Amino acid sequence: MPQQHQTFADLKQQERKTRQRVIVEAAERVYGKMPFEQVNMRAIAKEAAISVSSIYRYFPDRQSLFVEAFILGTRQIIARVEDHIAGGEISGLKDFARMYMDFLLEHDHYFRMMTHFMLDGRLAGRPLEKLNQAARTVLDQFDRVFAQTGANGGNRLYSHAFFAALNGILISFGKYPGRDPGDVRRHMRKLADIVAEMLETPGCTDATT
Amino acid sequence: MPQQHQTFADLKQQERKTRQRVIVEAAERVYGKMPFEQVNMRAIAKEAAISVSSIYRYFPDRQSLFVEAFILGTRQIIARVEDHIAGGEISGLKDFARMYMDFLLEHDHYFRMMTHFMLDGRLAGRPLEKLNQAARTVLDQFDRVFAQTGANGGNRLYSHAFFAALNGILISFGKYPGRDPGDVRRHMRKLADIVAEMLETPGCTDATT
DNA sequence: TGTACATCAGTGAACGCGCGTTCACTGATGTAC
DNA sequence: TGTACATCAGTGAACGCGCGTTCACTGATGTAC
């Protein structure tokens, strides 16, 4: 597409996008600040320093805004992984697992959003599509890292299993009852190490079709 | 404790327990019938054929009833596993994994309850204790099965990893976008097989401390 | 340069609904004398 | 056998709150003539 003259209408559209972004970023901050289920439109409006009804000028409903905020999160995690890889800090699946888990533990709200979407079936239409695409991007990255460091680069099943196992560890033991956070974290790391180790050991990933 | 004469007061207490059970079972049925987030006191009351306010004669609040219903579920899954083991149908981790996953897929509501409790941090006090105990029972059973069939019977870490991985598979791919349920199920089984296989292969579970 | 009109961002207040929980009351059953 | 009282299961209606969403309006900016 050749560069056209920028019209006033174009400018307006652009400003609109900018305002949208401001709102999404505010939402994202709110999710980072308060428990996931407590986030509501009023809090987001306050954070964005506008009125609630203004949000509805830019997003048709809560879900849409919500999905955008989540997509912002997936971009962050992908960017961080790329950074670490570029910096040569990831030499195997263990490193990768640790990084992935640390990110989600630090940014609990992304983790909550992720599981929310995985478990909730109510999303549909355009927001759902957008979400699925974001999910695919993350899985693709798992695949890529896996191909570089793991034993079974060619087979998507193994990267899927890895992805699932790490999520499962976070979900199943993240709130381990009656243990202090440090212990919990160490425990989860050990579990992640076990899975990573198995997936990296050549003899262990050949048996299944 | 020696058998005492049964007093009228005892009988009353007993009837009370029975009525409690009726309510919990009604709740359980409701959870099986409608989407998890939509279950409310009114629906449970209707199912139990009593008024809402009557429920509050037997349970202090929603959470307590909720926890009881979930415990009913954990008992069921444990009973089923025992059955299958007694019937000689479980000869390895793969069988066990399949059974566990099938149960949770069939009884989606238990799965939802489980993840709900794993992710939600708001529970406290007596209900939380009860819940934790139920969770421990399930983990113990994993441990036991693992000791019988798996390679690393002595180490709880491996059964924990197994438990977490299976949960993770269910959560991460249960609503895999744009696939029909049959495909999804097959995919999840393959992933479970991979994990089970690795944990059963002796050389794969020795490397980590 | 001025006037009438259209567009649209922004807003505070209100709507409507769902839902957990409580209230004030009824009626049955058991107990004391 | 009868009467006064306590206990407690059960209930319909109402309370109170949170929250997503909509409404009716204001005010600024741009456009047409």
Side-chain angles (χ1 to χ4, degrees):
Chain A
M1 215 186 297
Q3 176 70 17
Q4 300 277 349
H5 302 291
Q6 205 177 32
T7 64
F8 271 37
D10 288 341
L11 264 178
K12 216 163 211 170
Q13 193 107 21
Q14 210 171 303
E15 279 168 25
R16 215 184 129 79
K17 286 255 179 254
T18 308
R19 292 203 196 90
Q20 273 189 357
R21 217 194 50 226
V22 169
I23 295 174
V24 174
E25 285 170 0
E28 209 273 315
R29 261 174 282 134
V30 174
Y31 276 109
K33 241 197 297 203
M34 68 203 301
F36 179 81
E37 320 80 18
Q38 284 174 33
V39 174
N40 59 49
M41 299 302 267
R42 279 157 180 89
I44 294 172
K46 197 171 182 184
E47 176 74 31
I50 55 174
S51 75
V52 188
S53 38
S54 291
I55 296 180
Y56 285 89
R57 288 227 169 259
Y58 297 93
F59 300 91
D61 53 34
R62 191 175 172 274
Q63 293 275 26
S64 309
L65 172 54
F66 194 85
V67 169
E68 294 304 328
F70 176 64
I71 288 174
L72 222 60
T74 61
R75 288 219 193 94
Q76 272 195 40
I77 187 170
I78 287 172
R80 182 191 285 211
V81 173
E82 297 295 356
D83 276 5
H84 281 239
I85 290 177
E89 292 169 62
I90 295 185
S91 68
L93 289 187
K94 273 193 195 179
D95 293 335
F96 179 53
R98 186 154 299 189
M99 229 216 56
Y100 178 75
M101 291 198 350
D102 281 352
F103 178 86
L104 288 181
L105 285 170
E106 275 168 49
H107 303 79
D108 188 54
H109 56 299
Y110 286 139
F111 179 60
R112 296 300 293 264
M113 287 192 204
M114 192 173 89
T115 55
H116 173 83
F117 287 127
M118 281 171 172
L119 292 170
D120 188 89
R122 276 170 304 178
L123 221 55
R126 191 69 205 290
L128 180 61
E129 274 172 48
K130 281 195 142 189
L131 187 72
N132 286 340
Q133 178 160 0
R136 237 172 282 128
T137 323
V138 174
L139 260 182
D140 283 350
Q141 201 192 35
F142 256 82
D143 245 22
R144 234 176 306 128
V145 173
F146 218 81
Q148 280 170 27
T149 62
N152 274 60
N155 196 337
R156 274 186 91 92
L157 281 179
Y158 291 95
S159 67
H160 279 200
F162 193 45
F163 175 70
L166 294 184
N167 290 336
I169 290 167
L170 287 166
I171 293 166
S172 306
F173 295 103
K175 309 247 170 200
Y176 206 63
R179 298 279 193 283
D180 85 282
D183 284 350
V184 168
R185 203 153 169 150
R186 271 186 291 281
H187 188 238
M188 291 199 295
R189 279 197 179 152
K190 277 189 201 159
L191 297 182
D193 283 352
I194 285 179
V195 176
E197 187 103 25
M198 289 193 302
L199 282 166
E200 260 177 348
T201 308
C204 302
T205 49
D206 306 328
T208 328
T209 320
Chain B
M1 215 187 296
Q3 177 70 18
Q4 299 276 351
H5 304 289
Q6 205 178 28
T7 64
F8 272 36
D10 288 342
L11 264 178
K12 218 163 209 168
Q13 192 108 20
Q14 211 171 302
E15 281 167 25
R16 217 185 125 79
K17 286 256 181 253
T18 309
R19 293 204 195 87
Q20 274 188 357
R21 217 194 50 226
V22 169
I23 295 175
V24 174
E25 286 171 359
E28 209 272 315
R29 262 174 281 135
V30 174
Y31 277 110
K33 241 195 302 203
M34 67 204 300
F36 179 82
E37 320 81 18
Q38 284 174 33
V39 174
N40 58 48
M41 300 302 267
R42 279 156 181 91
I44 294 172
K46 198 171 181 184
E47 176 74 30
I50 55 174
S51 74
V52 186
S53 38
S54 290
I55 297 180
Y56 286 88
R57 288 228 168 258
Y58 297 93
F59 299 91
D61 52 33
R62 190 177 174 273
Q63 293 274 28
S64 309
L65 172 53
F66 194 85
V67 168
E68 292 305 327
F70 176 65
I71 288 174
L72 222 59
T74 61
R75 288 220 192 94
Q76 272 195 41
I77 188 171
I78 287 172
R80 181 189 287 210
V81 173
E82 297 295 356
D83 276 6
H84 281 239
I85 291 176
E89 293 169 60
I90 294 184
S91 69
L93 288 188
K94 272 192 197 181
D95 293 335
F96 179 53
R98 186 154 300 190
M99 228 215 58
Y100 178 76
M101 290 200 349
D102 281 352
F103 179 87
L104 288 182
L105 285 171
E106 274 168 49
H107 303 77
D108 187 55
H109 56 300
Y110 285 138
F111 178 60
R112 298 299 294 264
M113 287 191 203
M114 192 174 89
T115 54
H116 174 83
F117 287 127
M118 280 170 172
L119 292 171
D120 188 89
R122 277 169 303 179
L123 223 53
R126 191 71 205 288
L128 180 62
E129 273 172 49
K130 282 197 141 189
L131 188 72
N132 286 339
Q133 178 161 359
R136 237 173 282 129
T137 323
V138 174
L139 260 182
D140 283 349
Q141 202 192 34
F142 255 82
D143 244 22
R144 236 175 306 127
V145 173
F146 218 81
Q148 281 169 29
T149 64
N152 274 61
N155 196 337
R156 273 186 92 91
L157 280 179
Y158 290 96
S159 67
H160 279 199
F162 193 44
F163 175 70
L166 293 184
N167 290 336
I169 290 167
L170 287 167
I171 293 165
S172 306
F173 294 104
K175 308 246 172 204
Y176 205 63
R179 297 279 193 284
D180 85 283
D183 283 350
V184 168
R185 204 152 169 150
R186 272 187 290 282
H187 189 238
M188 291 199 294
R189 278 196 179 152
K190 279 189 200 159
L191 298 182
D193 282 353
I194 285 179
V195 176
E197 187 105 24
M198 289 192 302
L199 282 166
E200 259 177 348
T201 308
C204 303
T205 49
D206 306 328
T208 329
T209 321

